[in-house]
Amino acid sequence: PKAAMTIGRQSGIILEPVEWLTFLMAIFLSLQVAFHGLIALAVAAFLLNLGIIALVFVVPRLATGGGGGWAKPFRDWYLLPVIPVFYLEICHLVYLINPPDADQLLIRLDRLAFAGRDPTVLLEAVTFPHLTEVLQIVYGSFYFLPFSLCLALYLRGERGAFKTASTLILFGFYLSFIGYFLVPAIGPRHTLNDLQNLPLSGLWTFEALRGLLDVFPFPPRDCFPSGHTLVSVLTLSLAYRYHRRRFGLYLGWSSLLIFSTVYLRYHYVADVIAAVALATLIYLTGLRWLRRRLN
């Protein structure tokens, strides 16, 4: 963080926390490519990350140097599409690096907590098409949950709350991405499929949504921690702090979303527990840290 801020000051630009977090993430990914000798991906990855780094320095200069009335609002939101771009890059990187999967460890942890049973198999007792349909839609709405809170704060003119919420949520995304490198796992829908007695089926949109989310030709190692859970818990905590009037909506939405991660067999319970712990840590320490750095 200090290095990024120093570079920013030397170039006459003061980077905001979300910007130096993004800068560091781009550097981290470039180093992964270099250290693991991923020659086939190197040029594309370096160019992509270099483009993101350039944005991080160019956009603040435009916003503070008379870039027009659009520049400041653009700076508030321009990093939003970087999140799925990083996600796609990371899933390809982890797949090419090909570390040993941690699924068996996560399965053992789940069975230790559930008396030798697998939670996804136990949930077959409450599995039926109507619920599956609803939960798949909720699961697919993941990005809209944090976005809706940030947008609500922004439209209400609560700039400090908006900056705090967007920074912590972005950090939650990035931390979950790093977790995919540290604990790569493909999830119970791949590893425990032979043990499931009841296939998941919906009504109208289930198959289309599930197919839409399967964007890779390989099982992505994106389970630990559960990014859906981590960001949902962060959003819920921030909604309680800054948007109490709509807290009930976020509570219901995030609860269904977290339940769907295991019900739909995307995640182990261990993924969810780790994500809740990380979200709590980010929220408690991040608020204190940002209070000293945001205007």
Side-chain angles (χ1 to χ4, degrees):
K2 289 182 179 178
M5 288 180 176
T6 299
I7 293 171
R9 290 192 189 99
Q10 289 175 349
S11 61
I13 302 166
I14 298 177
L15 298 182
E16 294 190 348
V18 288
E19 290 164 336
W20 64 253
L21 283 173
T22 302
F23 169 82
L24 291 175
M25 193 70 195
I27 294 294
F28 170 79
L29 294 179
S30 297
L31 290 175
Q32 293 302 310
V33 175
F35 287 160
H36 292 91
L38 301 176
I39 305 301
L41 192 63
V43 174
F46 279 130
L47 286 176
L48 175 64
N49 295 327
L50 187 61
I52 291 171
I53 290 170
L55 269 179
V56 166
F57 286 96
V58 170
V59 172
R61 180 174 288 279
L62 288 174
T64 57
W70 58 271
K72 287 186 179 179
F74 181 74
R75 186 182 185 184
D76 291 331
W77 293 99
Y78 78 102
L79 292 177
L80 183 64
V82 171
I83 297 170
V85 168
F86 273 155
Y87 170 76
L88 294 172
E89 181 182 359
I90 286 162
C91 286
H92 278 97
L93 284 176
V94 177
Y95 175 74
L96 291 173
I97 291 169
N98 197 25
D101 292 336
D103 288 89
Q104 291 306 313
L105 170 62
L106 300 175
I107 290 170
R108 287 197 295 272
L109 290 174
D110 273 12
R111 289 176 178 172
L112 186 64
F114 289 88
R117 305 290 301 278
D118 296 299
T120 56
V121 177
L122 291 173
L123 283 173
E124 288 182 349
V126 296
T127 298
F128 59 97
H130 290 79
L131 180 60
T132 303
E133 181 79 12
V134 169
L135 290 179
Q136 186 64 63
I137 293 171
V138 171
Y139 186 87
S141 73
F142 166 55
Y143 283 105
F144 295 102
L145 175 67
F147 172 74
S148 67
L149 176 64
C150 291
L151 183 61
L153 296 174
Y154 193 79
L155 293 177
R156 288 167 56 176
E158 298 181 16
R159 192 159 186 79
F162 166 76
K163 284 188 175 184
T164 299
S166 58
T167 302
L168 292 184
I169 287 169
L170 193 82
F171 184 50
F173 274 110
Y174 291 173
L175 193 60
S176 69
F177 294 165
I178 292 172
Y180 304 160
F181 286 97
L182 300 177
V183 188
I186 58 177
R189 68 180 179 132
H190 299 291
T191 58
L192 301 177
N193 189 52
D194 292 342
L195 300 179
Q196 302 287 164
N197 302 304
L198 185 64
L200 291 174
S201 62
L203 298 173
W204 305 288
T205 65
F206 172 74
E207 293 296 341
L209 285 173
R210 204 166 178 85
L212 189 64
L213 294 173
D214 290 334
V215 296
F216 300 101
F218 52 83
R221 291 159 171 81
D222 61 349
C223 283
F224 188 95
S226 167
H228 280 65
T229 300
L230 199 162
V231 173
S232 295
V233 172
L234 269 177
T235 302
L236 182 63
S237 303
L238 291 161
Y240 184 80
R241 183 179 182 88
Y242 294 121
H243 204 1
R244 192 79 56 90
R245 216 172 56 181
R246 298 288 178 86
F247 176 74
L249 170 65
Y250 287 104
L251 178 61
W253 191 351
S254 59
S255 297
L256 285 174
L257 212 157
I258 292 167
F259 178 67
S260 74
T261 62
V262 179
Y263 176 96
L264 295 172
R265 304 169 189 173
Y266 287 112
H267 288 280
Y268 304 100
V269 171
D271 305 335
V272 173
I273 293 173
V276 171
L278 285 172
T280 304
L281 182 64
I282 291 170
Y283 179 75
L284 294 177
T285 60
L287 281 178
R288 203 171 298 123
W289 183 79
L290 287 173
R291 202 173 292 129
R292 298 195 299 267
R293 284 165 175 79
L294 290 177
N295 295 326

